[in-house]
Amino acid sequence: MPRQRTQDVVHVVMTDHLIRRQPGGPELVASLAESDPTLTGVELLDTPHAPTGTQAEIYRTAAVVQASGATNALERLQKLLAPDRPLEVVPLLILAERQLTTRRFAEAERTLTRILDAHPARPLAQEWLGIAQMGVGKSKEAIARIRQALQRNPERAEAQFNLGLLLSGEKQWDEALAHLTKATTLRANFVPAWFHLGRVHAEHERLDEAVRCYQRALAIDPTHTRAYVELGKILRQQGQQAEALRYWRHGEKVATQPAVIAKLLK
């Protein structure tokens, strides 16, 4: 669904005799100029109980990292949370999340290991450590870590998805199928889970199930480029050439990477 601004909504005034739109012309549908938000300061609330000194600086910097992901703020937070400093779990988790997002997997592994050395029962840190370990090529350790996280929190859809994704990378298809299915059960609108569930079905030659999963992914996110690509390939494999072309032509108009689909059409 396209984003809608409040000024795009037609307002009406009703009386006994008249229904009328508020005055206005082309400016009602004109595009608005976009700009990135600018942080001018971060203040700690609950002043009597707020941290002070270096601890306050840590939390302010962590807030900036979480809000903007600015590289200089990330580097500042890393320095403030150096190993010789007291452990601050929440800022360390914010740091680890950003390190994972920016694919700094070795750094994230060190950050998360530090958290778990002090708090070994934190399932989110275990799950993220598994992702970091996968990023540095430690697939067996990664799978074991996420299994541990799921033992403590089996209802977390992201952990079910991450384990299914890692297992599919190791070609452990049956178990990957179970965890990806669980992820879609826990969160019905989990687009990446539906997409990778389709891939696992396709590996097992369950083409009708794969088609259903890709269609479900596109029903939730009509801009998902890879779902269009894989769905079209399977439809062609099933002899449904016209249906494949219909999806690809639509995807060329709305997908986030239309050039990828345009190349297939050519």
Side-chain angles (χ1 to χ4, degrees), residues 63-259:
V64 174
V65 169
Q66 197 168 36
S68 69
T71 302
N72 57 345
L74 178 62
E75 293 172 352
R76 174 65 177 160
L77 186 59
Q78 284 178 306
K79 292 179 181 178
L80 290 167
L81 295 171
D84 60 341
R85 299 286 182 88
L87 189 74
E88 294 283 353
V89 174
V90 173
L92 280 168
L93 283 171
I94 293 171
L95 174 63
E97 182 181 23
R98 184 57 54 180
Q99 288 169 333
L100 290 173
T101 302
T102 55
R103 305 182 67 82
R104 302 183 184 188
F105 296 118
E107 294 177 13
E109 184 181 21
R110 290 192 293 270
T111 301
L112 292 159
T113 299
R114 183 182 170 197
I115 295 172
L116 288 169
D117 285 343
H119 301 278
R122 281 189 171 259
L124 183 60
Q126 288 179 329
E127 178 190 339
W128 287 357
L129 178 56
I131 297 171
Q133 289 174 326
M134 191 65 186
V136 296
K138 300 177 181 178
S139 57
K140 291 182 179 179
E141 293 93 331
I143 290 171
R145 279 290 180 182
I146 299 182
R147 287 192 199 279
Q148 290 177 3
L150 280 172
Q151 286 176 358
R152 293 187 170 90
N153 187 7
E155 300 303 304
R156 179 170 160 78
E158 292 88 346
Q160 294 285 356
F161 167 72
N162 285 323
L163 182 54
L165 193 61
L166 293 178
L167 290 167
S168 66
E170 295 296 304
K171 301 189 183 302
Q172 298 181 37
W173 302 116
D174 290 340
E175 195 176 358
L177 182 68
H179 287 288
L180 290 170
T181 301
K182 180 68 172 178
T184 60
T185 301
L186 291 169
R187 186 188 300 166
N189 64 347
F190 202 158
V191 174
W194 283 111
F195 174 77
H196 287 284
L197 186 58
R199 290 183 61 242
V200 173
H201 280 304
E203 286 289 340
H204 282 77
E205 297 296 323
R206 292 192 285 263
L207 301 187
D208 288 341
E209 284 298 309
V211 166
R212 183 182 68 85
C213 291
Y214 292 139
Q215 288 175 332
R216 185 63 180 272
L218 288 172
I220 302 165
D221 179 9
T223 69
H224 197 288
T225 303
R226 294 177 67 192
Y228 282 111
V229 171
E230 299 303 325
L231 176 58
K233 288 179 180 178
I234 290 180
L235 289 171
R236 292 183 68 190
Q237 188 176 342
Q238 292 180 316
Q240 301 184 58
Q241 181 75 7
E243 187 72 352
L245 289 174
R246 183 177 74 84
Y247 272 103
W248 281 353
R249 285 168 180 156
H250 182 69
E252 187 182 20
K253 297 176 183 177
V254 302
T256 53
Q257 296 176 288

Side-chain angles (χ1 to χ4, degrees), residues 4-11 20-32:
Q4 189 175 66
R5 306 170 301 182
T6 55
Q7 58 264 49
D8 292 329
V9 180
V10 176
H11 297 276
R20 180 175 61 197
R21 192 188 73 176
Q22 287 184 343
E27 73 279 0
L28 293 176
V29 294
S31 298
L32 294 178

